[in-house]
Amino acid sequence: NAGVTQTPKFQVLKTGQSMTLQCAQDMNHNSMYWYRQDPGMGLRLIYYSASEGTTDKGEVPNGYNVSRLNKREFSLRLESAAPSQTSVYFCASSETRTRISGANVLTFGAGSRLTVL
Amino acid sequence: GESVGLHLPTLSVQEGDNSIINCAYSNSASDYFIWYKQESGKGPQFIIDIRSNMDKRQGQRVTVLLNKTVKHLSLQIAATQPGDSAVYFCALGGTSYGKLTFGQGTILTVHP
């Protein structure tokens, strides 16, 4: 059971270049998310998809686009990369709610480290 | 808006000691609170959650305490082990579906 798989794990871009981060989950989850993680900032939500066919902005969506390709896959695209987008990106998915709080239990991928020069 | 902060960015303990990781929050409308553990090179992993109408919840070697009066959350780890070394995040969930607000994280280092 792979869980959430992200590719690539590492990427170096020049300012202005474009790229797409890929994410796939094999848990049949309806909801998927993209977060970025920066030192001292915790994880911040970029975009999420509550279900196949829908996407919504999170806290920091500027400079990014997403595509929910199907139920399994949720990609994040940087059209014109900027140094401020240097970060570690995490994809997550969720379906299970806990018995105690009813909270979404997010399952995260291993992360994609992006450096923009 | 929501914000979450941590009192201590780093915590070093000896193996066998108890660890306490703290988290302060500002949004009193949060429905639930979650602790995540992130090991080096991996994504965050769910540890334990607590609903806003609870004060305490215990899991295996972990206890979460919630003080809504002072908007404070803590994670207690009993008999800390080297495998507990990681970054610990608190996260708040509210009415917005699936959207969690994460704290900055605390680095826990356990020395053998």
Side-chain angles (χ1 to χ4, degrees), chain A residues 31 37 97-98 100-101 103-104, chain B residues 38 49 51 57 89 97-98:
Chain A
S31 302
Q37 184 175 35
R97 289 188 176 268
T98 74
I100 299 300
S101 73
N104 278 302
Chain B
Q38 185 178 23
D49 63 318
R51 196 167 184 83
R57 185 172 175 228
F89 293 93
Y97 182 82

Side-chain angles (χ1 to χ4, degrees), chain A residues 5-41:
Chain A
T5 303
Q6 296 181 229
T7 56
K9 293 189 184 302
F10 301 94
Q11 183 72 49
V12 178
L13 293 176
K14 295 181 179 179
T15 297
Q17 287 185 316
S18 62
M19 77 157 298
T20 300
L21 299 177
Q22 306 286 353
C23 174
Q25 52 91 9
D26 62 1
M27 296 171 285
N28 202 35
H29 286 170
N30 280 318
S31 302
M32 299 186 72
Y33 314 82
W34 275 105
Y35 283 86
R36 60 177 288 174
Q37 184 175 35
D38 303 295
M41 301 290 289

Side-chain angles (χ1 to χ4, degrees), chain B residues 14-33:
Chain B
Q14 292 296 125
E15 182 177 2
D17 287 350
N18 296 332
S19 302
I20 300 176
I21 301 169
N22 298 302
C23 176
Y25 64 93
S26 60
N27 187 355
S28 58
S30 299
D31 292 329
Y32 51 85
F33 304 83

Side-chain angles (χ1 to χ4, degrees), chain A residues 46-63:
Chain A
I46 304 172
Y47 269 94
Y48 69 103
S49 171
S51 61
E52 186 179 356
T54 68
T55 60
D56 287 286
K57 296 179 180 180
E59 182 184 356
V60 288
N62 292 343

